[in-house]
Amino acid sequence: MTFLSTENRLICLVGSFLVAAAWFFSGLRTRFLPFFGIAAGILFILTLFDIRVPKHDSHTRDVRVWWVMDLFFWFGLMFLLYLGIQWWNAGRALYYDVEFHRWTYAAPRYPGWPWAFTRQESLEMVYWFFPAWVLGLAMRVPCLTRQGIMQMGRWLSYSGGALATFGLIQYVSGTKSIFWVIPFDGEFFSSFPYSNHAAAYFVLVGGVTAGFFFREVFQPLRERARGRALALGTALVLCLMGANLSLSRTGIVLAWLLAAFIAGYGILRGWRLLRPSARLIWVAATLATFITLYFAVASFGLEDIRREFSVERRSLHSLMPALQTINTDLAARPMQCKAGWSVFKADPLFGVGGWGFRYLAAFHVPPEHIKELQYSVAGWANVHCDPIQFLAEFGLAGCGLMVLALGTLIAPCLRRRIRRGAVFTLSFTGLILVLGFSLIDLPFRCPAILWTWVAVIAALPKCAGAGMPEGQRGRRYDLEQTENGA
């Protein structure tokens, strides 16, 4: 087994895993979760015990047990063990307390331990976070090079563009069935049963794709793959269109924020790298692409987007009260956040277990607001604020372990010595936008987004400096420079 073949196996397995997760109902179908769990188990074995390094490399020690010193491995493992304890101690039945004349839940079997309401639902949390942990580890394997990360990232970009194209075709067809064969009453886009999830996913993949696109565009002519640059640029436009045509109001806003940032970053970076004769061409091309995106979105879904932002009812909770002519209605989300925070305060240490909020939400809503629940179009199984829901369901103990594991992934990205190229900067922008989205919705309750988000942030340190070609930093070149002039 060679070093190269080991890396290729990791790339193929991780890339296939992330692509399949997005295409198979974004991982939300519980019937598919065991298969993803098995695939993650195979990847886990390959990641930990099948690592080889070139024998001729005298500077490389045996890294087959590299994970022993990896804090992400241990913090993630402890968090998974915590979820396992919640699953083991699950089981609380609803009963009517005749003494106090109220409905309540029986105590867990072992009250002093973390618990959950049902084993099946608490097991779903393991199916969500075990693959996320394994994918994060796979991106940190010593044998995985920047070239491997780039190849896998391009697969993710092409898949995102294809997924957006599929959603666009479904949108134009007017179908009310996912894949044209599965009837669905709610709002969906492409393979995502929840349109807000689709918007968050395309914003995330759009940021990654933009980074790879600029890396190709700013390569010297002799190293530039024009076909690849064209494919990545097309995928980027399609991802941004997908985020818009998902008809998620927050997704639309974030998509245009991302598009504006991409355009500004491209102009500033191109202005520094290009010769004066090429600068105006580059600025004009960037603005033309931005305008083309606007008219492409408008030609397909302008009326539907206007309808989403139009005020058709009294706002229960408005995001920006000053904008009375624009629909910024947050529906019952503030009420759900208050209920989620109340659930957390009732069991702050261990939480109420995976999906536990749905069982206790009604007990924490003020009686005067019960009728308002009929007005809400948001489901009450979720808080619609991921940080509060994780606190409510995992408590301080579980969330503390989660934050420690996440911190080991974020810390390398914040080091000053890291050279932040286009891939790093724009991918990180997509990650931040999805994180902001999680404050008013639930992108991290979608396995495909959770897994992709963790994989991308774990891979970023190896992508540092990947926005400008090696050997060309500090030098200027034209868009159409010859091979000799490069």
Side-chain angles (χ1 to χ4, degrees), residues 107-414:
R109 291 182 299 167
Y110 302 95
W113 292 77
W115 53 271
F117 279 92
T118 69
R119 283 196 168 185
Q120 181 179 359
E121 291 176 335
S122 60
L123 182 61
E124 190 172 341
M125 298 295 105
V126 179
Y127 280 134
W128 285 6
F129 288 99
F130 173 65
W133 176 60
V134 173
L135 289 166
L137 284 175
M139 297 296 97
R140 296 163 69 87
V141 171
C143 77
L144 191 59
T145 63
R146 178 190 293 181
Q147 290 73 20
I149 295 289
M150 295 297 170
Q151 181 180 350
M152 187 174 55
R154 288 192 291 266
W155 287 1
L156 184 65
S157 299
Y158 299 148
S159 173
L163 199 60
T165 302
F166 175 70
L168 178 60
I169 295 173
Q170 280 195 318
Y171 175 83
V172 172
S173 71
T175 181
K176 299 299 181 182
S177 300
I178 301 180
F179 294 105
W180 288 285
V181 294
I182 303 175
F184 195 77
D185 294 333
E187 296 181 357
F188 69 91
F189 184 81
S190 192
S191 62
F192 291 81
Y194 182 44
S195 60
N196 281 8
H197 284 166
Y201 180 82
F202 288 124
V203 166
L204 172 58
V205 177
V208 174
T209 305
F212 287 111
F213 170 70
F214 283 130
R215 174 173 169 78
E216 293 296 332
V217 168
F218 290 135
Q219 292 281 1
L221 186 61
R222 66 170 180 265
E223 301 175 14
R224 191 185 311 160
R226 292 191 177 186
R228 183 185 297 167
L230 179 61
L232 288 169
T234 303
L236 171 59
V237 173
L238 288 170
C239 284
L240 294 175
M241 288 184 65
N244 278 274
L245 296 180
S246 67
L247 302 183
S248 162
R249 280 177 292 157
T250 305
I252 293 170
V253 172
L254 293 183
W256 284 105
L257 285 176
L258 178 62
F261 183 82
I262 291 171
Y265 179 89
I267 291 174
L268 291 177
R269 195 63 180 269
W271 198 269
R272 291 173 53 192
L273 293 176
L274 301 176
R275 298 183 186 278
S277 59
R279 288 175 178 172
L280 293 180
I281 298 176
W282 175 247
V283 171
T286 302
L287 295 178
T289 303
F290 189 87
I291 295 172
T292 300
L293 173 64
Y294 170 80
F295 283 107
V297 171
S299 63
F300 284 101
L302 182 59
E303 293 302 320
D304 288 336
I305 292 174
R306 283 178 176 173
R307 191 178 302 113
E308 285 296 317
F309 282 92
S310 63
V311 178
E312 297 180 353
R313 64 187 183 186
R314 178 184 61 87
S315 293
L316 183 60
H317 296 281
S318 181
L319 180 63
M320 292 171 284
L323 302 179
Q324 297 297 327
T325 60
I326 300 177
N327 184 8
T328 58
D329 184 14
L330 291 176
R333 280 170 171 77
M335 195 187 311
Q336 289 168 322
C337 289
K338 290 180 181 178
W341 186 253
S342 179
V343 171
F344 161 68
K345 290 191 296 182
D347 293 276
L349 183 58
F350 294 136
V352 297
W355 290 113
F357 171 76
R358 67 194 301 177
Y359 295 97
L360 297 175
F363 293 92
H364 293 269
V365 175
E368 63 270 18
H369 292 296
I370 291 295
K371 291 184 178 180
E372 294 181 5
L373 301 184
Q374 301 175 358
Y375 174 82
S376 173
V377 295
W380 274 81
N382 296 286
V383 179
H384 289 80
C385 176
D386 282 339
I388 292 180
Q389 181 143 9
F390 288 146
L391 275 173
E393 295 184 346
F394 302 143
L396 292 174
C399 282
L401 293 173
M402 183 192 298
V403 169
L404 287 173
L406 181 60
T408 60
L409 298 181
I410 296 177
C413 300
L414 303 180

Side-chain angles (χ1 to χ4, degrees), residues 64-85:
R64 285 176 291 180
V65 290
W66 62 273
W67 43 269
V68 172
M69 301 299 295
D70 192 325
L71 290 178
F72 177 73
F73 173 87
W74 294 110
F75 288 140
L77 180 61
M78 287 189 288
F79 177 63
L80 289 173
L81 290 175
Y82 179 84
L83 296 180
I85 295 174

Side-chain angles (χ1 to χ4, degrees), residues 41-91:
I42 296 172
L43 177 60
F44 179 72
I45 295 172
L46 177 62
T47 298
L48 263 61
F49 304 112
D50 197 21
I51 302 302
R52 299 292 186 272
V53 296
K55 294 182 179 179
H56 62 273
D57 190 349
S58 59
H59 299 287
T60 305
R61 60 182 176 84
D62 188 353
V63 294
R64 285 176 291 180
V65 290
W66 62 273
W67 43 269
V68 172
M69 301 299 295
D70 192 325
L71 290 178
F72 177 73
F73 173 87
W74 294 110
F75 288 140
L77 180 61
M78 287 189 288
F79 177 63
L80 289 173
L81 290 175
Y82 179 84
L83 296 180
I85 295 174
Q86 285 190 326
W87 168 83
W88 164 75
N89 198 27

